[in-house]
Short mmCIF file of all heavy atoms in Angstrom, two decimals:
data_model
loop_
_atom_site.label_atom_id
_atom_site.label_comp_id
_atom_site.label_asym_id
_atom_site.label_seq_id
_atom_site.Cartn_x
_atom_site.Cartn_y
_atom_site.Cartn_z
N PHE A 53 13.24 43.84 -54.33
CA PHE A 53 13.33 44.31 -55.68
C PHE A 53 13.79 45.77 -55.66
O PHE A 53 13.10 46.65 -55.15
CB PHE A 53 11.98 44.25 -56.40
CG PHE A 53 11.67 42.89 -57.00
CD1 PHE A 53 11.07 41.92 -56.28
CD2 PHE A 53 11.95 42.67 -58.31
CE1 PHE A 53 10.76 40.70 -56.82
CE2 PHE A 53 11.72 41.38 -58.89
CZ PHE A 53 11.09 40.46 -58.15
N MET A 54 15.01 46.02 -56.18
CA MET A 54 15.37 47.37 -56.47
C MET A 54 14.93 47.70 -57.89
O MET A 54 15.30 47.03 -58.88
CB MET A 54 16.91 47.54 -56.38
CG MET A 54 17.42 47.84 -54.99
SD MET A 54 16.71 49.29 -54.20
CE MET A 54 17.27 50.60 -55.34
N ILE A 55 14.05 48.71 -58.00
CA ILE A 55 13.52 49.11 -59.30
C ILE A 55 14.49 50.16 -59.94
O ILE A 55 14.70 51.20 -59.33
CB ILE A 55 12.18 49.74 -59.19
CG1 ILE A 55 11.17 48.72 -58.51
CG2 ILE A 55 11.64 50.20 -60.51
CD1 ILE A 55 9.89 49.33 -58.03
N ALA A 56 15.08 49.85 -61.06
CA ALA A 56 16.00 50.70 -61.79
C ALA A 56 15.16 51.27 -62.96
O ALA A 56 15.00 50.65 -64.00
CB ALA A 56 17.22 49.95 -62.26
N PHE A 57 14.66 52.51 -62.78
CA PHE A 57 13.68 53.09 -63.71
C PHE A 57 14.37 54.05 -64.68
O PHE A 57 15.10 54.93 -64.27
CB PHE A 57 12.58 53.79 -62.97
CG PHE A 57 11.42 54.17 -63.77
CD1 PHE A 57 10.26 53.42 -63.82
CD2 PHE A 57 11.41 55.39 -64.49
CE1 PHE A 57 9.14 53.78 -64.53
CE2 PHE A 57 10.30 55.72 -65.25
CZ PHE A 57 9.14 54.96 -65.28
N ASP A 58 14.16 53.84 -65.98
CA ASP A 58 14.75 54.67 -66.98
C ASP A 58 14.19 56.09 -66.93
O ASP A 58 12.99 56.28 -67.11
CB ASP A 58 14.47 54.07 -68.40
CG ASP A 58 15.15 54.75 -69.54
OD1 ASP A 58 15.38 55.93 -69.48
OD2 ASP A 58 15.51 54.03 -70.50
N THR A 59 15.07 57.04 -66.69
CA THR A 59 14.65 58.45 -66.65
C THR A 59 15.33 59.26 -67.71
O THR A 59 15.65 60.45 -67.59
CB THR A 59 14.89 59.08 -65.21
OG1 THR A 59 16.26 58.75 -64.87
CG2 THR A 59 13.93 58.53 -64.23
N LEU A 89 3.80 51.57 -62.46
CA LEU A 89 4.57 51.39 -61.27
C LEU A 89 3.81 51.71 -60.03
O LEU A 89 3.86 50.98 -59.01
CB LEU A 89 5.86 52.27 -61.33
CG LEU A 89 6.88 52.11 -60.31
CD1 LEU A 89 7.37 50.64 -60.25
CD2 LEU A 89 8.04 53.01 -60.49
N LEU A 93 3.08 49.01 -57.01
CA LEU A 93 3.41 49.27 -55.61
C LEU A 93 2.27 49.09 -54.65
O LEU A 93 2.36 48.49 -53.55
CB LEU A 93 4.02 50.65 -55.49
CG LEU A 93 5.37 50.90 -56.13
CD1 LEU A 93 5.69 52.44 -56.11
CD2 LEU A 93 6.45 50.18 -55.46
N PHE A 102 10.39 46.99 -51.85
CA PHE A 102 10.91 47.68 -53.04
C PHE A 102 11.83 48.84 -52.57
O PHE A 102 11.65 49.41 -51.55
CB PHE A 102 9.73 48.27 -53.82
CG PHE A 102 8.77 47.30 -54.39
CD1 PHE A 102 7.53 47.11 -53.74
CD2 PHE A 102 9.10 46.56 -55.51
CE1 PHE A 102 6.67 46.16 -54.31
CE2 PHE A 102 8.18 45.64 -56.05
CZ PHE A 102 6.97 45.44 -55.42
N GLY A 103 12.74 49.17 -53.56
CA GLY A 103 13.45 50.41 -53.48
C GLY A 103 13.44 50.98 -54.89
O GLY A 103 13.05 50.27 -55.88
N LEU A 104 13.84 52.25 -55.00
CA LEU A 104 13.72 52.90 -56.38
C LEU A 104 14.95 53.70 -56.67
O LEU A 104 15.50 54.45 -55.84
CB LEU A 104 12.51 53.80 -56.33
CG LEU A 104 12.23 54.65 -57.61
CD1 LEU A 104 11.96 53.73 -58.84
CD2 LEU A 104 11.08 55.64 -57.42
N ALA A 105 15.47 53.51 -57.93
CA ALA A 105 16.60 54.27 -58.40
C ALA A 105 16.31 54.81 -59.77
O ALA A 105 15.66 54.13 -60.63
CB ALA A 105 17.83 53.36 -58.45
N THR A 106 16.74 56.09 -60.02
CA THR A 106 16.72 56.68 -61.33
C THR A 106 18.13 56.65 -61.92
O THR A 106 19.03 56.17 -61.32
CB THR A 106 16.17 58.11 -61.27
OG1 THR A 106 17.21 58.94 -60.68
CG2 THR A 106 14.91 58.21 -60.48
N ALA A 152 23.61 55.52 -61.17
CA ALA A 152 22.30 55.47 -60.50
C ALA A 152 22.16 56.66 -59.53
O ALA A 152 23.13 57.24 -59.05
CB ALA A 152 22.11 54.15 -59.73
N ASN A 153 20.93 56.95 -59.26
CA ASN A 153 20.58 57.87 -58.15
C ASN A 153 19.51 57.14 -57.32
O ASN A 153 18.38 57.03 -57.82
CB ASN A 153 20.04 59.20 -58.64
CG ASN A 153 19.68 60.13 -57.47
OD1 ASN A 153 20.07 59.93 -56.34
ND2 ASN A 153 18.92 61.16 -57.83
N ILE A 154 19.87 56.57 -56.19
CA ILE A 154 18.87 55.88 -55.36
C ILE A 154 18.02 56.95 -54.67
O ILE A 154 18.52 57.65 -53.82
CB ILE A 154 19.55 54.92 -54.33
CG1 ILE A 154 20.25 53.82 -55.12
CG2 ILE A 154 18.50 54.35 -53.44
CD1 ILE A 154 20.94 52.80 -54.19
N VAL A 155 16.76 57.03 -55.08
CA VAL A 155 15.90 58.07 -54.51
C VAL A 155 15.09 57.54 -53.34
O VAL A 155 14.70 58.39 -52.45
CB VAL A 155 15.00 58.70 -55.63
CG1 VAL A 155 15.84 59.42 -56.65
CG2 VAL A 155 14.12 57.64 -56.31
N VAL A 156 14.79 56.24 -53.28
CA VAL A 156 14.15 55.70 -52.11
C VAL A 156 14.88 54.36 -51.82
O VAL A 156 14.79 53.40 -52.59
CB VAL A 156 12.68 55.38 -52.36
CG1 VAL A 156 11.99 54.80 -51.11
CG2 VAL A 156 11.90 56.58 -52.80
N PRO A 157 15.54 54.26 -50.73
CA PRO A 157 16.28 53.01 -50.38
C PRO A 157 15.27 51.92 -50.05
O PRO A 157 14.11 52.15 -49.73
CB PRO A 157 17.13 53.41 -49.16
CG PRO A 157 16.41 54.57 -48.55
CD PRO A 157 15.80 55.28 -49.69
N MET A 158 15.74 50.68 -50.12
CA MET A 158 14.96 49.54 -49.92
C MET A 158 14.32 49.51 -48.51
O MET A 158 14.93 49.91 -47.51
CB MET A 158 15.81 48.24 -50.05
CG MET A 158 15.09 46.99 -49.79
SD MET A 158 14.04 46.48 -51.16
CE MET A 158 15.24 46.14 -52.41
N GLN A 159 13.03 49.10 -48.46
CA GLN A 159 12.42 48.78 -47.18
C GLN A 159 13.03 47.54 -46.61
O GLN A 159 13.05 46.52 -47.28
CB GLN A 159 10.92 48.56 -47.35
CG GLN A 159 10.19 47.94 -46.17
CD GLN A 159 10.17 48.88 -45.00
OE1 GLN A 159 10.06 50.09 -45.18
NE2 GLN A 159 10.32 48.40 -43.81
N ASN A 172 8.39 52.16 -46.49
CA ASN A 172 8.85 53.23 -47.40
C ASN A 172 7.85 53.41 -48.51
O ASN A 172 8.18 54.18 -49.48
CB ASN A 172 10.22 52.86 -47.99
CG ASN A 172 10.17 51.62 -48.91
OD1 ASN A 172 9.18 50.96 -49.01
ND2 ASN A 172 11.26 51.39 -49.62
N SER A 175 6.91 57.05 -49.41
CA SER A 175 7.91 57.75 -50.06
C SER A 175 7.98 57.30 -51.56
O SER A 175 8.15 58.08 -52.46
CB SER A 175 9.31 57.45 -49.45
OG SER A 175 9.38 58.01 -48.15
N LEU A 176 7.84 55.96 -51.80
CA LEU A 176 7.84 55.48 -53.18
C LEU A 176 6.71 56.13 -53.96
O LEU A 176 6.92 56.50 -55.12
CB LEU A 176 7.68 53.97 -53.16
CG LEU A 176 8.93 53.17 -52.74
CD1 LEU A 176 8.52 51.72 -52.44
CD2 LEU A 176 10.00 53.19 -53.75
N LEU A 177 5.57 56.23 -53.39
CA LEU A 177 4.39 56.75 -54.12
C LEU A 177 4.52 58.22 -54.48
O LEU A 177 3.95 58.68 -55.40
CB LEU A 177 3.12 56.46 -53.33
CG LEU A 177 2.67 55.01 -53.20
CD1 LEU A 177 1.51 54.85 -52.30
CD2 LEU A 177 2.39 54.41 -54.55
N THR A 178 5.35 58.96 -53.72
CA THR A 178 5.53 60.40 -54.06
C THR A 178 6.27 60.55 -55.38
O THR A 178 6.25 61.64 -55.95
CB THR A 178 6.33 61.16 -53.00
OG1 THR A 178 7.67 60.61 -52.89
CG2 THR A 178 5.61 61.03 -51.60
N TRP A 179 6.94 59.49 -55.85
CA TRP A 179 7.67 59.58 -57.14
C TRP A 179 6.80 59.17 -58.28
O TRP A 179 7.30 59.26 -59.48
CB TRP A 179 8.96 58.68 -57.04
CG TRP A 179 9.99 59.31 -56.13
CD1 TRP A 179 10.07 59.09 -54.78
CD2 TRP A 179 11.00 60.18 -56.52
NE1 TRP A 179 11.12 59.86 -54.32
CE2 TRP A 179 11.73 60.50 -55.34
CE3 TRP A 179 11.44 60.73 -57.69
CZ2 TRP A 179 12.82 61.38 -55.35
CZ3 TRP A 179 12.52 61.59 -57.72
CH2 TRP A 179 13.18 61.92 -56.54
N VAL A 180 5.59 58.77 -58.11
CA VAL A 180 4.69 58.36 -59.22
C VAL A 180 3.28 58.93 -59.06
O VAL A 180 2.34 58.32 -59.57
CB VAL A 180 4.63 56.78 -59.24
CG1 VAL A 180 6.00 56.24 -59.75
CG2 VAL A 180 4.29 56.15 -57.94
N GLU A 189 9.54 63.25 -58.25
CA GLU A 189 8.69 62.62 -59.28
C GLU A 189 9.63 62.06 -60.32
O GLU A 189 10.70 62.62 -60.59
CB GLU A 189 7.77 63.64 -59.90
CG GLU A 189 6.72 63.04 -60.89
CD GLU A 189 5.63 62.23 -60.20
OE1 GLU A 189 5.63 62.20 -58.94
OE2 GLU A 189 4.73 61.70 -60.89
N LEU A 190 9.28 60.87 -60.89
CA LEU A 190 10.11 60.37 -61.94
C LEU A 190 10.10 61.31 -63.14
O LEU A 190 9.06 61.82 -63.46
CB LEU A 190 9.63 58.97 -62.36
CG LEU A 190 9.80 57.87 -61.28
CD1 LEU A 190 9.14 56.56 -61.74
CD2 LEU A 190 11.28 57.69 -60.98
N ILE A 201 23.83 51.95 -63.81
CA ILE A 201 22.84 51.76 -62.82
C ILE A 201 22.90 50.36 -62.26
O ILE A 201 22.67 50.15 -61.05
CB ILE A 201 21.37 52.05 -63.36
CG1 ILE A 201 20.45 52.34 -62.17
CG2 ILE A 201 20.84 51.01 -64.28
CD1 ILE A 201 19.13 52.91 -62.60
N MET A 205 23.61 49.11 -58.40
CA MET A 205 22.77 48.13 -57.70
C MET A 205 23.67 47.07 -57.01
O MET A 205 23.36 46.65 -55.86
CB MET A 205 21.75 47.47 -58.64
CG MET A 205 20.79 48.45 -59.28
SD MET A 205 19.76 49.37 -58.12
CE MET A 205 20.70 50.90 -58.00
N TYR A 208 25.20 48.72 -53.89
CA TYR A 208 24.21 48.89 -52.83
C TYR A 208 23.88 47.62 -52.13
O TYR A 208 23.97 47.50 -50.86
CB TYR A 208 22.94 49.49 -53.45
CG TYR A 208 21.83 49.61 -52.49
CD1 TYR A 208 21.99 50.32 -51.23
CD2 TYR A 208 20.52 49.17 -52.75
CE1 TYR A 208 20.89 50.46 -50.35
CE2 TYR A 208 19.49 49.29 -51.88
CZ TYR A 208 19.66 49.98 -50.72
OH TYR A 208 18.60 50.13 -49.81
N ARG A 215 25.71 58.62 -52.76
CA ARG A 215 25.48 59.52 -53.90
C ARG A 215 26.75 60.32 -54.25
O ARG A 215 27.36 60.86 -53.27
CB ARG A 215 24.31 60.45 -53.56
CG ARG A 215 23.88 61.36 -54.72
CD ARG A 215 22.62 62.11 -54.39
NE ARG A 215 21.51 61.17 -54.23
CZ ARG A 215 20.41 61.48 -53.53
NH1 ARG A 215 20.30 62.60 -52.92
NH2 ARG A 215 19.39 60.55 -53.45
N TYR A 222 23.47 55.04 -48.21
CA TYR A 222 22.49 53.97 -47.85
C TYR A 222 23.18 52.63 -47.67
O TYR A 222 23.83 52.14 -48.62
CB TYR A 222 21.40 53.86 -48.91
CG TYR A 222 20.55 55.13 -49.08
CD1 TYR A 222 20.36 55.68 -50.34
CD2 TYR A 222 20.01 55.78 -48.01
CE1 TYR A 222 19.65 56.84 -50.55
CE2 TYR A 222 19.28 56.97 -48.15
CZ TYR A 222 19.08 57.47 -49.43
OH TYR A 222 18.37 58.60 -49.61
N LEU A 242 15.04 45.09 -60.92
CA LEU A 242 14.05 45.17 -62.03
C LEU A 242 14.43 46.42 -62.85
O LEU A 242 14.20 47.56 -62.45
CB LEU A 242 12.66 45.33 -61.44
CG LEU A 242 11.47 44.98 -62.38
CD1 LEU A 242 10.15 44.79 -61.62
CD2 LEU A 242 11.26 46.03 -63.48
#
Side-chain angles (χ1 to χ4, degrees):
F53 276 89
M54 275 301 299
I55 302 164
F57 192 97
D58 188 325
T59 50
L89 188 56
L93 291 170
F102 298 103
L104 178 62
T106 69
N153 181 16
I154 296 180
V155 294
V156 182
M158 177 75 68
Q159 168 67 36
N172 69 349
S175 294
L176 287 164
L177 291 175
T178 65
W179 289 87
V180 290
E189 188 73 1
L190 291 175
I201 200 168
M205 296 304 93
Y208 176 53
R215 185 173 294 158
Y222 298 129
L242 198 166

